[in-house]
Amino acid sequence: MASNLAPQDLENLQLRAVRYALAHGLLYLPPGTQAAIPMSAIHAPIALFPTPFPRAQFERAKSLQSTYNTLYARIALDTWFLDEVMGTERGVGKVDDFVGKLWTGWKALRDEGLHQVRFIVSISDLCSHMVRPLHLGLFRSDYLLHVSEDNNVSIRQVEFNTISSSFGTLSQKVSEMHRHLCASTGFYESSPYLQALNLPPNNTIAGLVEGLAAAHTVYDVPSSQILFVVQPGERNVFDQLWLEYELLEKHSIKVIRLTLDELSSCSSVSSINAPLFITPLSTRGVIPIEISTIYFRAAYTPTDFPTPSHYTTRFTLEKSKAIKCPSIPLQLAGGKKVQQVLTQPGVLERFLSDEAHWGLGSSSPPEVISELRASWMGMWGLDVGGDDGVNRAREHAMNLVLKPQREGGGNNVYKEAVPAFLDSLPLEERQAWIAMELIAPPKGMKNYLIRAGGGESLVEMEVMSELGIFGWALFGDGVGESEGKVREKEVGWLVRTKGKDSNEGGVATGFSVLDSLVLVD
């Protein structure tokens, strides 16, 4: 897109992009930051030009989000389904220690009396004295463009994220940066598409905060606050802080940021389904603060739980009546195994057809179900049919990615690495892995990437870009006029761009840069 630009124009664009990022909070903490009060920051990794993306496919991805919001809300409320797919008796939890510990803790809380959900099959159920909890999801559905054998280009889903769906706020900042470059330089007329009318708006900050504020409002304790559970030494802190600032400035809602370590000594829940109170070290002697909503930006990976006490703290939070974002069942619903099981005949229809008598809003017509299925690649479990799943994966290895039940990037096995991995995979661990056909993105797309901090010169390379669509869902009792209604909304988007030869895609793990879109017809 920019190969015809003079070197001085490229340098000026890079300077303007870096200055804008530094001036507008498009930031990371530097590597190795240890001080409690950081003294410096660097800009996040960014793409110099927005990525061309078909307008119709962008609108299609956005239109699917409401259905996905409702789908994963219903999955989180189906205790039987999650027990079967993710539990330790018959599901993934048998062979995946992290999933197993989460499920076991959740099961113990249910046995102790944690509010749980049953199918709504009669008016007597609706009038039951049993109160079902509220859940909040801040979701992101990720897509790549796929070029089929007949050269049709359409979106294909990579994964659906139900916990710590990050970079919503920085994605808005990158969109604004590209709009600034367009307004100030016109990108030096490097492409006829690079006009303001082709740069779609992105208001993800307000959209995600709308979901958090909705949960806080429904909790209905005016003095309560929202808890952000964060990782120690978080470099991506500014992506979280923009949400905190928006909550305070636009909704007058205060936020407390604490790690699981800190929560182990300053949080308390008197009994199952009781309020969660926090007494931070800085406010000892002050009346404890009640928490309305717990927003997890940690607790999605085994490294967040180095000791058994970390799991104990996580389960203490879960047993409170605070609204969890996500609850353990909603976190489990985001597992790769669930994504694979949904592709099996009849499973998606179970949640979205007329037979799904959940009272969670209107049923999805068959064409919507077909649209969802059309956005998926082929996938199967390695445990399918005895050795059939593994043999099939070995046969098609060069067109496959193997995925475990992990978030955060850097966990998958690709192409030529598949056969050796299958040779080393113990029989009992097959159930924890799925095989997914690789998406074939368009070729010949180039961009200039600026790594975090600007320490490198501008790097031009052939790239591929992943689109993420954000949404939120608040579901359970007390959300709307009907029992179990889902309040949900599509609220923004994210683009991550990487070199075409890079298999992994995480920004935080250093594989990708943040980007935005220029829509083309």
Side-chain angles (χ1 to χ4, degrees):
M1 172 177 287
S3 58
N4 60 331
L5 281 182
Q8 63 267 27
D9 291 336
L10 280 174
E11 184 177 349
N12 188 44
L13 282 174
Q14 180 184 11
L15 177 62
R16 286 179 174 272
V18 169
R19 282 177 172 173
Y20 189 95
L22 293 172
H24 291 80
L26 181 45
L27 301 174
Y28 258 22
L29 289 180
T33 300
Q34 300 292 333
I37 303 178
M39 303 302 293
S40 63
I42 59 177
H43 71 75
I46 50 179
L48 188 58
F49 290 86
T51 289
F53 203 91
R55 192 183 305 270
Q57 295 304 312
F58 176 63
E59 294 300 330
R60 181 183 173 209
K62 291 202 301 178
S63 70
L64 290 176
Q65 190 61 35
S66 285
T67 304
Y68 273 119
N69 293 341
T70 301
L71 170 63
Y72 277 85
R74 293 178 177 181
I75 293 171
L77 294 181
D78 193 331
T79 301
W80 178 86
F81 178 81
L82 289 175
D83 285 350
E84 289 290 306
V85 176
M86 302 297 282
T88 61
E89 297 171 4
R90 291 171 294 278
V92 170
K94 286 195 307 181
V95 296
D96 187 299
D97 183 63
F98 179 56
V99 171
K101 285 177 178 175
L102 288 178
W103 182 88
T104 299
W106 176 46
K107 177 65 164 56
L109 290 172
R110 284 187 276 152
D111 292 343
E112 191 179 341
L114 184 72
H115 299 319
Q116 52 190 300
V117 177
R118 302 176 297 182
F119 281 103
I120 301 172
V121 295
S122 67
I123 295 298
S124 62
D125 268 348
L126 291 178
C127 298
S128 171
H129 69 278
M130 182 185 67
V131 178
R132 295 179 297 160
L134 282 172
H135 307 246
L136 175 66
L138 296 188
F139 301 139
R140 196 186 71 229
S141 185
D142 293 334
Y143 303 92
L144 287 170
L145 287 175
H146 176 68
V147 182
S148 64
E149 292 182 356
D150 56 3
N151 285 324
N152 285 327
V153 178
S154 59
I155 55 170
R156 291 292 188 273
Q157 189 183 58
V158 178
E159 63 183 0
F160 191 88
N161 302 277
T162 64
I163 183 169
S164 190
S165 303
S166 60
F167 293 108
T169 68
L170 295 192
S171 68
Q172 177 175 325
K173 298 296 180 182
V174 175
S175 285
E176 293 166 353
M177 180 199 76
H178 283 146
R179 283 186 168 275
H180 165 75
L181 293 179
C182 185
S184 60
T185 71
F187 288 99
Y188 297 107
E189 300 181 350
S190 55
S191 169
Y193 292 108
L194 288 171
Q195 304 177 41
L197 58 86
N198 294 326
L199 303 179
N202 190 0
N203 299 309
T204 311
I205 297 174
L208 293 174
V209 165
E210 181 184 17
L212 290 165
H216 178 84
T217 299
V218 171
Y219 190 85
D220 198 25
V221 174
S223 62
S224 64
Q225 299 184 22
I226 292 179
L227 170 65
F228 282 22
V229 182
V230 300
Q231 294 174 324
E234 175 63 78
R235 292 184 59 211
N236 192 26
V237 63
F238 298 98
D239 185 55
Q240 303 166 13
L241 289 176
W242 282 114
L243 299 177
E244 178 180 338
Y245 301 153
E246 182 87 1
L247 281 164
L248 183 61
E249 294 165 10
K250 301 295 177 61
H251 300 273
S252 299
I253 300 171
K254 294 181 180 180
V255 166
I256 303 173
R257 292 174 50 85
L258 293 169
T259 65
L260 286 173
D261 271 327
E262 292 166 332
L263 284 163
S264 66
S265 61
C266 69
S267 61
S268 62
V269 180
S270 62
S271 61
I272 200 82
N273 302 317
L276 169 65
F277 289 99
I278 301 293
T279 309
L281 294 175
S282 59
T283 58
R284 290 296 186 192
V286 179
I287 297 175
I289 300 165
E290 185 169 351
I291 297 300
S292 68
T293 306
I294 307 171
Y295 175 41
F296 286 97
R297 291 295 292 257
Y300 57 83
T301 176
T303 56
D304 287 335
F305 298 89
T307 70
S309 67
H310 289 80
Y311 284 101
T312 300
T313 301
R314 174 65 184 90
F315 300 142
T316 297
L317 300 179
E318 187 72 18
K319 79 177 184 179
S320 75
K321 78 169 188 176
I323 300 169
K324 272 72 69 175
C325 179
S327 60
I328 290 178
L330 187 53
Q331 180 174 348
L332 293 174
K336 304 301 185 295
K337 188 64 177 180
V338 171
Q339 183 185 11
Q340 178 256 311
V341 171
L342 284 173
T343 68
Q344 297 175 358
V347 178
L348 182 61
E349 289 77 4
R350 164 186 166 82
F351 292 104
L352 294 179
S353 69
D354 290 337
E355 286 73 27
H357 45 261
W358 289 80
L360 294 178
S362 60
S363 299
S364 298
E367 59 267 23
V368 175
I369 293 176
S370 296
E371 273 285 292
L372 257 63
R373 287 196 178 277
S375 71
W376 296 343
M377 299 299 290
M379 61 187 84
W380 63 91
L382 292 184
D383 60 324
V384 171
D387 292 331
D388 289 351
V390 167
N391 291 338
R392 183 179 174 190
R394 196 183 302 278
E395 180 182 355
H396 299 282
M398 292 306 294
N399 191 41
L400 286 184
V401 54
L402 305 183
K403 296 185 176 184
Q405 313 303 308
R406 291 291 177 271
E407 303 297 333
N411 302 296
N412 300 333
V413 179
Y414 291 85
K415 297 182 181 178
E416 61 276 353
V418 168
F421 175 80
L422 293 175
D423 290 341
S424 66
L425 183 67
L427 176 65
E428 63 273 12
E429 294 183 18
R430 291 178 179 178
Q431 191 171 6
W433 290 80
I434 70 165
M436 177 177 168
E437 295 175 357
L438 283 173
I439 301 170
K443 296 180 180 180
M445 301 292 294
K446 290 187 176 183
N447 206 334
Y448 288 88
L449 309 185
I450 310 173
R451 298 299 181 185
E456 303 177 25
S457 60
L458 211 59
V459 179
E460 183 184 20
M461 63 177 64
E462 188 172 344
V463 297
M464 56 190 294
S465 297
E466 186 171 314
L467 170 68
I469 304 294
F470 289 97
W472 62 264
L474 182 62
F475 52 100
D477 285 347
V479 172
E481 296 177 359
S482 63
E483 193 86 6
K485 182 179 175 63
V486 175
R487 284 176 59 188
E488 58 79 29
K489 192 173 182 181
E490 175 267 310
V491 295
W493 49 274
L494 156 76
V495 181
R496 291 169 295 178
T497 291
K498 64 181 181 179
K500 71 174 183 64
D501 295 323
S502 173
N503 286 325
E504 296 293 349
V507 176
T509 47
F511 298 105
S512 300
V513 303
L514 296 170
D515 198 353
S516 75
L517 297 179
V518 54
L519 300 181
V520 298
D521 295 311

